[in-house]
Amino acid sequence: MTFNGYFSDGNELADKEVFDAIRSELTRQQDQIELIASENFASKEVIAALGCVMTNKYAEGYPSRRYYSGCSCVDVAENIAIERVCKLFNCKYANVQPHSGAQANLSVFYALMSPGDTFLGMGLDMGGHLTHGATPTISGKWFKSISYGINEDGLIDYDNVQKLAEEHNPKLILAGASSYSRKIDFKRFREIADSVGAYLFVDIAHYAGLVVAGLYPSPMEHAHVVSSTTHKTLRGPRGGIILTNDEVLAKKINSAVFPGVQGGPQMHSIAAKAVAFGEALRPEFKEYAKKVLENSIAMAKRLKENGLDIVSGKTECHMSIVDLTKLSVTGKIASLELEEAGITCNKNAIPFDKLPPTKTSGIRIGSAAMSTRNFGVSEFQKIADMIYTVLSNYGKSGYDDLRQRVRGEALELCRAYPLYK
Ligand SMILES: *Cc1c(COP(=O)(O)O)cnc(C)c1O
């Protein structure tokens, strides 16, 4: 099968309105420097699998144990996905059905806790994810969620986690983060969990691609259960996975995903996950992950040389949180101005931020997406300089021209490394 999908002319949707939006999005992705740390560019192969006839198939249940007939082909795809992801993370059991990271986490909660149970998670304002106990979510509303955080140095305060665990006797401790640039000590987390008889659940949504490449610690030998997204550093389709080495927990998790939380699995998405896991098993993916890390470190280092602070002082993964307090811009303004200059990122709270979450004093930047486009260290150093130029000149005379110049530079860089061509 040859697939040109949305990537070239002559392969268009008859629905012009929707097609135009898709093509505009393609152009936006091609012409902007993407630094949103949770984003990446899936391969054409992955996107081809996503747009396939398996979307038509109902397959409630699991391979060979379905509630509908006609599932023999989708069974093949799901079995391949399971086999490959177990190999990738060196684990025994995997559920590849969660529609997203949030659904994966909800399923784990459903499998391991009852409403009203207590769990510890990293606070949203400290770098944790919404689903780790934030009040507007089920994780914060239906459970008693206790937040732990980071110390003045921007590092996870493990002593405090231990103290909170002893104080609250949680059913589960959740480790993992969305805005934390340092290695997490999963062994320490397990010791804390064991000391109070809690489950250790680790969410590696952000770090998964680096874990696979051996560049970020694997939680697999320490955690009872691990969840992840498939679309961040792992570079697959949008979705979630749940992993474990414990047979009893694996069964509980399967029942929690279906019928507990979800109905029919998205088989086209599972096929695309299988393709992405196949890509991640290849040696080229390790090379990619190595570049992600190198580039991230180079970008953070150059920002520091320019005089900006990086939360916790450095990065050990694909992302950094840049502290903007030395400049006269909030995170909100910074992200808007950078978008005008052709660079997308997001505002992000810094530890003990004095500004509200709608403004923040920082931005989060990541290297996963542009490393997929083959940007190297020198390109990422250039991006750091461009960021500094925009943010340090904001509000000064001649700023608009300067920002326009940076927009031109961003476009030039993007054109030098074509995407989906
Ligand atoms: C992104 C993320 C999720 C949620 O993933 P979705 O697919 O957006 O639901 C969960 N946990 C962490 C730590 C994340 O960073």
Side-chain angles (χ1 to χ4, degrees), residues 146-219:
I146 307 291
S147 294
Y148 62 85
I150 46 187
N151 58 28
E152 293 286 345
D153 298 326
L155 300 171
I156 291 175
D157 189 343
Y158 295 96
D159 291 338
N160 185 242
V161 178
Q162 177 78 56
K163 196 172 139 265
L164 289 172
E166 285 164 15
E167 209 174 300
H168 296 281
N169 209 14
K171 188 88 178 274
L172 179 151
I173 298 178
L174 175 42
S178 298
S179 311
Y180 187 69
S181 64
R182 303 297 290 272
K183 289 178 179 162
I184 297 174
D185 188 346
F186 297 124
K187 184 165 172 279
R188 179 84 193 270
F189 264 109
R190 178 59 188 256
E191 286 161 8
I192 297 169
D194 281 347
S195 76
V196 295
Y199 287 117
L200 176 62
F201 168 30
V202 178
D203 175 356
I204 51 167
H206 262 272
Y207 313 107
L210 298 176
V211 170
V212 160
L215 299 171
Y216 192 90
S218 169

Side-chain angles (χ1 to χ4, degrees), residues 100-102 105 129 131-132 177-178 203 205-206 229 231-232 239:
S100 70
N105 290 354
H129 188 257
T131 57
H132 294 195
S178 298
D203 175 356
H206 262 272
T229 56
H231 49 276
K232 297 181 182 175

Side-chain angles (χ1 to χ4, degrees), residues 100-111 113-119 124 129-146 174 201 256 260-262:
S100 70
Q103 300 258 22
N105 290 354
L106 180 59
S107 303
V108 175
F109 291 148
Y110 189 64
M113 293 197 287
S114 301
D117 279 350
T118 300
F119 80 98
L124 182 63
H129 188 257
L130 275 163
T131 57
H132 294 195
T135 13
T137 74
I138 281 183
S139 69
K141 282 225 163 73
W142 290 4
F143 304 99
K144 189 170 169 233
S145 81
I146 307 291
L174 175 42
F201 168 30
V261 167
Q262 295 186 172

